[in-house]
Amino acid sequence: MQERLAGKSILVTGAGSGIGKAVATRFAHEGAAVVFSDRDGAAAHRAAASCRDAIGVELDVSDEGSVERAYAEIAGRGIALDVVVANAGVQLFGHDAPVADLDLDVWKRTLDVNLTGTFLTVKHAVRALRGRGGSIILTGSPTGLTGEGAEFTAYSTTKAGIHGLTRTVAAAYAREGIRANAVVPGYTETPLVTSISDDPESRAAIVSRIPLGRPGTPADVEGIMVFLASDEAAFATGSLFRVDGGMTTL
């Protein structure tokens, strides 16, 4: 297999499980040196152990001190990053709700991880990439584009914010050779969504809204992430790349 990312060093947040782990593992198989990071440091180290030329780093995206320490550890190991994937996120099923029913604490907890955490990851990514350029990839959601997330006010709002942050960062740093794009996975079965995938009625309802007729898997997201991390995407910035089985076409 051609190694499309040979010679690149990549940081992925939320890489202890789900989409983040799958994407980081694919990056390693494509020849990249990969930093698996996660709030659960043990999970990050376990995931990295299965790949060549990979390390695990504990990183809580909602805590700027933790973010700064992680980037400093990466630099201290002599790793000059080329790509950062801001993927870490939460969805508080059973707590997130339509706006009139949403507790302030749930709102704050979701924003702290999803939006503030993405902001902090990208802030320090830009600092790490300056002078050389590179690619920043953010993980969005159809809930930030359509009414798909009507029952999840906090989550949907954070994802809409991530889409806006993508465009802002792309515009601000294009002349420095730093690209920013968002990947927008549809309903993807990972540990994040077990409250849906374990409920046959809920699962059937959401799958019925996907024109391709099936849920997504983490593997479905890998290819577009590899493209955006690679030099093949050198002219792509400020865009949202939908990998949702057609969900947002409805």
Side-chain angles (χ1 to χ4, degrees), residues 135-138 162-174 178-183 228 233-241:
S135 174
I136 300 173
I137 306 168
L138 300 81
I162 286 169
H163 300 162
L165 179 63
T166 299
R167 298 185 181 98
T168 301
V169 172
Y173 297 103
I178 297 173
R179 300 182 291 106
N181 294 284
V183 172
L228 291 172
F235 203 54
T237 195
S239 294
L240 308 182
F241 290 81

Coordinates of all heavy atoms in Angstrom, one line a residue, residues 135-138 162-174 178-183 228 233-241:
S135 N -1.7 21.3 8.1 CA -3.1 21.1 8.0 C -3.8 20.9 9.4 O -3.2 20.1 10.2 CB -3.4 19.8 7.2 OG -4.7 19.5 7.1
I136 N -4.9 21.6 9.6 CA -5.7 21.4 10.8 C -7.0 20.8 10.4 O -7.7 21.4 9.5 CB -5.9 22.7 11.6 CG1 -4.5 23.3 12.0 CG2 -6.8 22.5 12.8 CD1 -4.6 24.7 12.6
I137 N -7.4 19.8 11.0 CA -8.7 19.1 10.6 C -9.6 19.1 11.9 O -9.2 18.6 12.9 CB -8.5 17.7 10.1 CG1 -7.5 17.7 9.0 CG2 -9.8 17.1 9.7 CD1 -7.0 16.3 8.6
L138 N -10.8 19.6 11.8 CA -11.7 19.6 12.9 C -12.9 18.7 12.6 O -13.2 18.4 11.4 CB -12.3 21.1 13.1 CG -11.3 22.2 13.4 CD1 -10.6 22.7 12.1 CD2 -12.0 23.3 14.1
I162 N -17.9 25.0 15.7 CA -16.7 24.4 15.1 C -16.7 24.6 13.6 O -15.6 24.9 13.1 CB -16.7 22.9 15.4 CG1 -16.3 22.7 16.9 CG2 -15.7 22.1 14.5 CD1 -16.5 21.3 17.4
H163 N -17.8 24.6 13.0 CA -17.8 24.9 11.5 C -17.4 26.3 11.3 O -16.7 26.6 10.4 CB -19.2 24.6 11.0 CG -19.7 23.2 11.1 ND1 -21.1 22.9 11.0 CD2 -19.1 22.1 11.4 CE1 -21.2 21.6 11.2 NE2 -20.0 21.1 11.4
G164 N -17.9 27.2 12.1 CA -17.5 28.6 12.0 C -16.0 28.9 12.3 O -15.4 29.6 11.6
L165 N -15.5 28.2 13.3 CA -14.1 28.3 13.7 C -13.2 27.8 12.5 O -12.2 28.4 12.2 CB -13.8 27.5 14.9 CG -12.4 27.5 15.5 CD1 -12.0 28.8 15.9 CD2 -12.3 26.5 16.6
T166 N -13.7 26.8 11.9 CA -12.9 26.3 10.7 C -12.7 27.3 9.7 O -11.6 27.6 9.2 CB -13.7 25.1 10.1 OG1 -13.8 24.0 11.1 CG2 -12.9 24.5 8.9
R167 N -13.8 28.0 9.3 CA -13.7 29.1 8.3 C -12.8 30.2 8.7 O -12.0 30.8 8.0 CB -15.1 29.5 7.9 CG -16.0 28.4 7.3 CD -17.3 29.0 6.9 NE -18.2 28.0 6.3 CZ -19.2 27.4 7.0 NH1 -19.4 27.8 8.3 NH2 -19.9 26.5 6.4
T168 N -13.0 30.6 10.0 CA -12.2 31.7 10.5 C -10.7 31.5 10.5 O -9.9 32.3 10.1 CB -12.7 32.1 12.0 OG1 -14.1 32.4 11.9 CG2 -12.0 33.2 12.5
V169 N -10.4 30.3 11.0 CA -8.9 29.9 11.1 C -8.4 29.8 9.6 O -7.3 30.3 9.4 CB -8.8 28.6 11.8 CG1 -7.3 28.1 11.7 CG2 -9.2 28.8 13.3
A170 N -9.1 29.2 8.7 CA -8.7 29.1 7.3 C -8.4 30.5 6.7 O -7.4 30.7 6.1 CB -9.7 28.4 6.5
A171 N -9.3 31.4 7.0 CA -9.1 32.7 6.4 C -7.9 33.5 7.1 O -7.2 34.2 6.4 CB -10.4 33.6 6.6
A172 N -7.8 33.3 8.4 CA -6.7 34.0 9.1 C -5.3 33.6 8.8 O -4.4 34.4 8.8 CB -7.0 33.9 10.6
Y173 N -5.2 32.3 8.5 CA -3.8 31.8 8.4 C -3.4 31.2 7.0 O -2.4 30.5 6.9 CB -3.6 30.7 9.5 CG -3.7 31.3 10.8 CD1 -4.9 31.2 11.6 CD2 -2.7 32.1 11.3 CE1 -5.0 31.8 12.8 CE2 -2.8 32.8 12.6 CZ -4.0 32.6 13.3 OH -4.1 33.2 14.5
A174 N -4.3 31.4 6.0 CA -4.0 30.9 4.7 C -2.7 31.3 4.1 O -1.9 30.6 3.5 CB -5.1 31.2 3.7
I178 N -1.1 27.6 6.4 CA -1.9 26.7 7.4 C -3.3 26.5 6.9 O -4.0 27.5 6.7 CB -1.9 27.3 8.8 CG1 -0.4 27.4 9.3 CG2 -2.7 26.4 9.7 CD1 -0.3 28.1 10.6
R179 N -3.7 25.3 6.6 CA -5.0 25.0 6.1 C -5.9 24.5 7.2 O -5.4 23.8 8.1 CB -5.0 23.9 5.0 CG -4.1 24.3 3.8 CD -4.1 23.3 2.7 NE -3.4 22.1 3.1 CZ -4.0 20.9 3.4 NH1 -5.3 20.8 3.4 NH2 -3.3 19.9 3.7
A180 N -7.2 24.8 7.2 CA -8.1 24.3 8.2 C -9.4 23.9 7.4 O -10.0 24.6 6.6 CB -8.5 25.4 9.2
N181 N -9.8 22.7 7.7 CA -11.0 22.1 7.1 C -11.7 21.3 8.2 O -11.1 20.8 9.2 CB -10.7 21.2 5.9 CG -10.1 21.9 4.8 OD1 -10.8 22.6 4.0 ND2 -8.8 21.8 4.6
A182 N -13.0 21.1 8.0 CA -13.8 20.2 8.9 C -14.3 19.0 8.2 O -14.8 19.1 7.0 CB -14.9 21.0 9.5
V183 N -14.3 17.9 8.8 CA -14.9 16.7 8.4 C -16.2 16.6 9.1 O -16.3 16.7 10.4 CB -14.1 15.4 8.6 CG1 -14.8 14.2 8.2 CG2 -12.8 15.5 7.7
L228 N -7.2 15.0 3.6 CA -7.0 16.4 4.2 C -5.6 16.5 4.9 O -5.1 17.6 4.9 CB -8.1 16.8 5.1 CG -9.5 17.0 4.4 CD1 -10.6 17.2 5.4 CD2 -9.4 18.2 3.4
A233 N -4.3 17.5 -0.7 CA -5.3 18.6 -0.3 C -4.7 19.9 -0.2 O -5.3 20.8 0.5 CB -6.0 18.2 1.0
A234 N -3.6 20.2 -0.9 CA -2.9 21.4 -0.7 C -3.7 22.7 -1.0 O -3.4 23.8 -0.5 CB -1.6 21.4 -1.5
F235 N -4.7 22.6 -1.8 CA -5.5 23.7 -2.2 C -6.9 23.7 -1.5 O -7.7 24.5 -1.9 CB -5.7 23.7 -3.7 CG -5.9 25.1 -4.3 CD1 -5.1 26.2 -4.1 CD2 -7.0 25.3 -5.1 CE1 -5.4 27.5 -4.6 CE2 -7.3 26.6 -5.7 CZ -6.5 27.6 -5.4
A236 N -7.0 22.9 -0.6 CA -8.3 22.8 0.2 C -8.2 23.5 1.5 O -7.4 23.0 2.4 CB -8.7 21.3 0.3
T237 N -9.0 24.5 1.7 CA -9.0 25.1 3.1 C -10.4 25.8 3.2 O -11.0 26.3 2.3 CB -7.8 26.1 3.3 OG1 -7.7 26.4 4.7 CG2 -8.0 27.4 2.5
G238 N -10.8 25.9 4.5 CA -12.1 26.6 4.8 C -13.3 25.8 4.4 O -14.4 26.4 4.4
S239 N -13.2 24.5 4.2 CA -14.3 23.7 3.7 C -14.8 22.7 4.7 O -14.1 22.3 5.6 CB -14.0 23.0 2.4 OG -13.7 23.9 1.3
L240 N -16.1 22.4 4.5 CA -16.7 21.3 5.3 C -16.9 20.1 4.4 O -17.6 20.2 3.3 CB -18.1 21.7 5.8 CG -18.2 23.0 6.6 CD1 -19.6 23.3 7.1 CD2 -17.2 23.1 7.8
F241 N -16.3 19.0 4.7 CA -16.4 17.8 3.9 C -17.3 16.8 4.6 O -17.0 16.2 5.7 CB -15.0 17.1 3.8 CG -14.0 17.9 2.9 CD1 -13.4 19.0 3.4 CD2 -13.9 17.6 1.6 CE1 -12.5 19.8 2.6 CE2 -13.0 18.4 0.8 CZ -12.4 19.5 1.3

